[in-house]
Amino acid sequence: DTEVTQTPKHLVMGMTNKKSLKCEQHMGHRAMYWYKQKAKKPPELMFVYSYEKLSINESVPSRFSPECPNSSLLNLHLHALQPEDSALYLCASSPSTGRGSHEQYFGPGTRLTVT
Amino acid sequence: QKEVEQDPGPLSVPEGAIVSLNCTYSNSAFQYFMWYRQYSRKGPELLMYTYSSGNKEDGRFTAQVDKSSKYISLFIRDSQPSDSATYLCAMSRRDDKIIFGKGTRLHILP
């Protein structure tokens, strides 16, 4: 089973709201990723967790705060977002950040609209 | 020069035709080469990956890597309307992040 699940599917939030995106995988993968994708663009890497520790932060603004409570779960906490942050937020997992980092499996994404 | 170049299309072909999708790249250190399929408003789906040069076949899909030319291809045989999607090439060095192409929008005409 190569399934990564994400909730919610859609989210509309105001610029003063706080919300969280959730991601779950049960493939035993030890690396998890957050990507942001704008329309007609490729995914852009935001964060990488390896063995539940943050290993890469691609200079993402602090209004995005990732969290990895355990090896199967990944959250992205959102606060004081801007309208330009509206996008499809994708979670992915891979067997590792070493040899397996190229083999990434994506979830369906959360479509976020900031009003 | 961008690290990965991919023609955005759209590419329209009749049902049953062979589709050829391509990417070029500039970084000779890339070792892994992937193809993802993304339907509208969905997450990317890993179709195939190849390590170094050579061919790999999976059903109607064949991936080719030519490292000497820095050129990769995905062929789809007997194309179906359900193959209509955006196809993203991607590549990486070991232990490094994936670099995606911009994606090619493919339309299979019934």
Side-chain angles (χ1 to χ4, degrees), chain A residues 37 58 98 103-104 106 111, chain B residues 36 38 41 44 95 97:
Chain A
Q37 187 177 29
E58 290 283 309
E103 192 181 340
Q104 293 187 21
F106 285 81
R111 186 157 300 280
Chain B
Y36 285 84
Q38 187 171 22
R41 306 176 86 81
D95 298 346
K97 67 180 184 181

Side-chain angles (χ1 to χ4, degrees), chain A residues 10 35 37 40-43 45 56 58 88 90 97-99 101-109 111, chain B residues 32 34 36 38 40-46 49 88 92-98 100-103 105:
Chain A
H10 303 277
Y35 287 85
Q37 187 177 29
K40 298 187 180 179
K41 300 285 187 186
L45 183 65
I56 295 178
E58 290 283 309
L88 182 68
L90 295 160
T97 50
R99 279 185 180 275
S101 62
H102 60 282
E103 192 181 340
Q104 293 187 21
Y105 296 91
F106 285 81
R111 186 157 300 280
Chain B
Y32 294 94
M34 291 74 76
Y36 285 84
Q38 187 171 22
S40 181
R41 306 176 86 81
K42 301 288 186 185
E45 173 192 2
L46 179 61
Y49 66 87
L88 295 146
S92 69
R93 299 175 297 177
R94 181 182 161 175
D95 298 346
D96 204 356
K97 67 180 184 181
I98 287 177
F100 287 92
K102 288 190 173 183
R105 285 183 293 143

Side-chain angles (χ1 to χ4, degrees), chain A residues 44-85:
Chain A
E44 296 174 35
L45 183 65
M46 299 174 72
F47 302 104
V48 181
Y49 272 83
S50 178
Y51 292 86
E52 301 162 47
K53 289 191 181 351
L54 183 65
S55 61
I56 295 178
N57 176 339
E58 290 283 309
S59 302
V60 178
S62 60
R63 56 186 184 269
F64 295 91
S65 175
E67 178 197 18
C68 190
N70 61 56
S71 60
S72 299
L73 291 173
L74 188 65
N75 298 322
L76 186 63
H77 303 296
L78 314 172
H79 173 56
L81 294 193
Q82 304 297 310
E84 59 265 28
D85 296 321

